[in-house]
Amino acid sequence: MLRRVLIGALLASLAVAFSAPARAATQVLMPNVSYARTVQFTAHGPIVLHVITAPRPGGLYQLKPLLSNGTILGTERVTSMQKDVSGAATVAGVNGDLFNFKDGHPSGMLMQNRVLQSPPYRFRSSVGISGDGRLNVARVSFFGYWQGLGQRRPLTGLNQPPRGDGTSLFTPAYGATTPRIPGVVEAVLQPFPPAVPGQELPGVVTLQRSGGGTAIPRNGAVLLARGSQVSKLQQEATAGTPVVTRLILSPDWLASGVTDALGGGPVIVRNGRAVWTAGEDFLPTQLGPRNPRTAVGQRRDGKIVLLAVDGRRRGYSVGMTNWELAQAMVRLGAVTASALDAGGSTTMAFDGKLINRPSDPGGERSVAETLAVLYTGVYAPPPSLPVVSPNGDGVGERQQLAYKVVAPSTVTASLVGPGGVTAFSETSSRLAGTYSYTWPSNARRRRQNDPLGRWRWIVSATDEGGRKSSVERAFWLNDTLGFMRVAPRAVKLRPRSRKAVVARFKLSYGARVTPSIWTTYGVLIRKLPSRTLAPGSRAIAWNGRFRNGRLVYRGTYVFKVFAQNSYGPVELNQRFSIRR
């Protein structure tokens, strides 16, 4: 029986490993940061993968955990957390650690800029990011002590209530007040330095009280004792007493250069090989089923890979097991990788906009953290139109361009056309913010000195720290196709009817034209034959039938006309309805 199970597992893993992915177009989110969506067709169903690839952290690029609402308690959507920091960086990322559904506190480690906000869970891996951009996935333990008038006393928790007898330290990262717990005693320390592990953290007791619910000073902390430790705190941390606290990580990640970290696990790639089982504190029900999954990894060249796998959606994406997630990260080139929170928490977003399809019925779930790629150079969003067609038909007449800087900078923005023709260029000093430009600014029709073809929006910046960055976006200027009308806009088809839906349009230049019919949800119904047409008024008819001759179902459809010539692509579309 065991042999059959092992053979079955092996065959299932091979089916996933050798499944053929659909072709994926790579999209540039921001300079050197790309996104790709692929679909793997497996024996278990389709699997949709969302992949962000970013440079090795350093310079203009950082990989950081962001805490929901800036506090340990509570949750927030990944898209909302990105918007919270959009003024300081352009952000792409995924959800972070597992968390407690009741109050939102992370289940494991959270360290930001060397300051420990939540202790690691030693039976699961943590993900560390070093100052030189290395990703470290390992198990880390937490210890600590405090000392007042007596000997050193153990510190059993950080920003979490002690379990049974113990003493915990609460810093401003926890929230406004400590938890209300009957029978506890607290000592308020003020001032108190940031909670950096491995250092002595001195404070002075300003107040002692009981019952919890004590305000945590913004420049202070609170020691909370429970059980047998209550008498120790009462006697050795009286008002006016100097108290020293020390937080200890084992291994000492700060000594090895780690500055930021978050909980995760299990480790799924080690030394370039997928890890079958890491022996971490996860249930088989968490690792075995096919679910939405999230992972972070690093390639040999230092590039960061973020992966979000959609799941729990039959016919769209069935998700992955943890082992399949490990194999996927190896195929993406990761030499080290960790899983993150999964299921309904799996989220990928960019610039405050959702990228993947979370599995919860309500959509994106609020989570405790996001692991974010932060870019602090100049950023330009994609142009509002892929093709500008200023021919007076009211469609695609004017382009909206923009760029964002997050620090005072000297910016040069240029709009360059084919052959180096420059329609616009300026150099100016800019404060942090977003700046926009409309082109053409006034004329409804294209000026003769604006050549048709591929145009580039090029922006370079030097910030107040002397750091240089640049970004380029492209679009097409092509007024070949225009003045499209579909008639009738509502047509009633019968089995013997030969009535047609006709798309009429004008061509300013000769082009290869491809008409097609789509649903409003983006499903292709019929692709009509392509043809090369000369300039002039043209018409293309569709008889309301599939390729096999059967009439289509009633509903709303989209008639698309795509034209391609030496000036580039251009497409127009219009809706119409079919009645039966």
Side-chain angles (χ1 to χ4, degrees):
M1 182 64 183
L2 178 59
R3 182 180 178 184
R4 292 181 180 178
V5 171
L6 291 174
I7 293 174
L10 176 62
L11 291 175
S13 64
L14 289 175
V16 173
F18 293 100
S19 58
R23 293 179 61 185
T26 299
Q27 176 185 351
V28 176
L29 299 179
M30 48 191 172
N32 301 312
V33 178
S34 63
Y35 161 74
R37 176 184 181 274
T38 62
V39 182
Q40 292 181 351
F41 296 97
T42 75
H44 307 286
I47 303 174
V48 178
L49 297 86
H50 305 269
V51 183
I52 288 177
T53 306
R56 181 185 183 119
L60 297 172
Y61 302 89
Q62 299 297 323
L63 183 65
K64 299 278 188 180
L66 303 179
L67 188 58
S68 64
N69 307 296
T71 59
I72 293 294
L73 297 183
T75 58
E76 189 179 1
R77 291 182 171 182
V78 170
T79 51
S80 177
M81 284 185 264
Q82 290 184 352
K83 292 175 183 177
D84 292 341
V85 298
S86 62
T90 306
V91 191
V94 294
N95 60 288
D97 190 11
L98 291 83
F99 60 95
N100 185 292
F101 261 73
K102 292 182 179 180
D103 61 14
H105 75 259
S107 66
M109 187 175 189
L110 177 67
M111 186 164 66
Q112 298 173 300
N113 298 321
R114 298 172 57 88
V115 178
L116 191 63
Q117 317 284 29
S118 178
Y121 180 41
R122 64 191 179 98
F123 298 110
R124 293 178 182 174
S125 288
S126 296
V127 180
I129 306 117
S130 67
D132 61 359
R134 289 178 293 111
L135 202 66
N136 192 342
V137 180
R139 299 190 204 184
V140 182
S141 299
F142 169 79
F143 308 93
Y145 66 81
W146 68 273
Q147 184 175 20
L149 297 176
Q151 65 187 44
R152 290 179 179 178
R153 304 295 181 182
L155 193 65
T156 56
L158 172 66
N159 289 325
Q160 56 189 199
R163 296 179 179 178
D165 292 358
T167 304
S168 289
L169 178 71
F170 287 86
T171 69
Y174 179 78
T177 64
T178 59
R180 293 187 178 276
I181 304 174
V184 301
V185 169
E186 297 171 301
V188 178
L189 308 177
Q190 191 178 16
F192 191 82
V196 177
Q199 300 179 1
E200 288 196 345
L201 308 174
V204 177
V205 179
T206 60
L207 174 68
Q208 195 179 95
R209 56 169 293 175
S210 60
T214 299
I216 304 173
R218 298 305 303 171
N219 65 335
V222 178
L223 283 171
L224 182 149
R226 191 175 188 177
S228 64
Q229 297 302 305
V230 166
S231 61
K232 307 290 192 303
L233 190 67
Q234 286 175 326
Q235 297 169 13
E236 300 173 14
T238 56
T241 301
V243 171
V244 172
T245 303
R246 191 180 186 96
L247 310 177
I248 303 167
L249 296 178
S250 179
D252 188 349
W253 264 11
L254 267 72
S256 67
V258 172
T259 59
D260 296 85
L262 78 162
V267 57
I268 54 176
V269 179
R270 186 185 291 121
N271 298 323
R273 295 184 177 182
V275 176
W276 168 256
T277 176
E280 299 183 20
D281 188 18
F282 289 94
L283 298 173
T285 53
Q286 292 175 291
L287 304 179
R290 289 182 176 82
N291 282 324
R293 300 279 176 183
T294 309
V296 57
Q298 188 168 40
R299 293 176 176 169
R300 198 171 302 278
D301 61 4
K303 289 185 177 180
I304 296 297
V305 177
L306 299 176
L307 172 62
V309 180
D310 288 335
R312 297 177 181 170
R313 291 179 177 270
R314 293 184 62 186
Y316 165 70
S317 184
V318 296
M320 285 182 168
T321 67
N322 189 73
W323 169 240
E324 291 167 353
L325 181 70
Q327 293 174 301
M329 289 299 286
V330 170
R331 289 195 298 271
L332 291 169
V335 294
T336 184
S338 173
L340 298 171
D341 194 8
S345 297
T346 290
T347 307
M348 179 176 283
F350 169 66
D351 205 27
K353 297 179 181 178
L354 193 63
I355 290 179
N356 75 314
R357 290 182 62 184
S359 62
D360 279 2
E364 184 184 359
R365 175 186 292 180
S366 292
V367 295
E369 307 153 323
T370 177
L371 181 60
V373 175
L374 304 172
Y375 168 68
T376 52
V378 64
Y379 166 71
S384 60
L385 299 171
V387 181
V388 184
S389 177
N391 53 13
D393 67 350
V395 179
E397 301 289 341
R398 304 171 76 181
Q399 182 68 278
Q400 295 294 325
L401 303 167
Y403 65 84
K404 179 181 81 171
V405 288
V406 298
S409 306
T410 300
V411 181
T412 299
S414 304
L415 182 57
V416 181
V421 172
T422 302
F424 167 83
S425 182
E426 72 170 14
T427 299
S428 55
S429 297
R430 297 292 196 185
L431 298 175
T434 299
Y435 300 86
S436 59
Y437 176 69
T438 302
W439 181 78
S441 57
N442 295 313
R444 286 180 58 83
R445 292 181 179 273
R446 179 174 61 89
R447 298 178 301 175
Q448 294 302 313
N449 59 340
D450 291 337
L452 298 177
R454 186 174 181 268
W455 284 71
R456 295 175 297 146
W457 175 236
I458 305 171
V459 187
S460 60
T462 303
D463 66 20
E464 57 186 355
R467 298 183 304 174
K468 296 182 179 181
S469 58
S470 63
V471 61
E472 180 177 316
R473 296 290 190 177
F475 62 92
W476 297 91
L477 176 64
N478 190 350
D479 57 8
T480 295
L481 178 64
F483 302 94
M484 178 177 169
R485 297 290 182 271
V486 173
R489 297 297 295 275
V491 59
K492 188 173 184 178
L493 297 179
R494 299 184 182 278
R496 296 175 180 265
S497 172
R498 308 303 297 180
K499 285 186 178 180
V501 180
V502 180
R504 292 181 170 83
F505 52 90
K506 292 183 180 180
L507 290 177
S508 299
Y509 311 95
R512 184 73 173 174
V513 176
T514 303
S516 55
I517 311 299
W518 300 72
T519 69
T520 56
Y521 297 102
V523 178
L524 177 63
I525 295 298
R526 179 83 183 273
K527 182 179 178 181
L528 302 177
S530 299
R531 63 195 75 178
T532 299
L533 300 177
S537 297
R538 302 298 174 204
I540 295 178
W542 175 59
N543 61 7
R545 298 173 184 271
F546 293 105
R547 188 174 180 179
N548 61 8
R550 296 186 61 182
L551 292 174
V552 300
Y553 303 104
R554 64 182 180 183
T556 302
Y557 295 87
V558 180
F559 205 131
K560 293 185 179 182
V561 176
F562 174 83
Q564 175 83 45
N565 57 17
S566 59
Y567 303 130
V570 59
E571 181 182 275
L572 291 176
N573 61 78
Q574 195 168 93
R575 292 190 178 195
F576 64 97
S577 61
I578 296 290
R579 294 179 294 170
R580 294 287 297 273

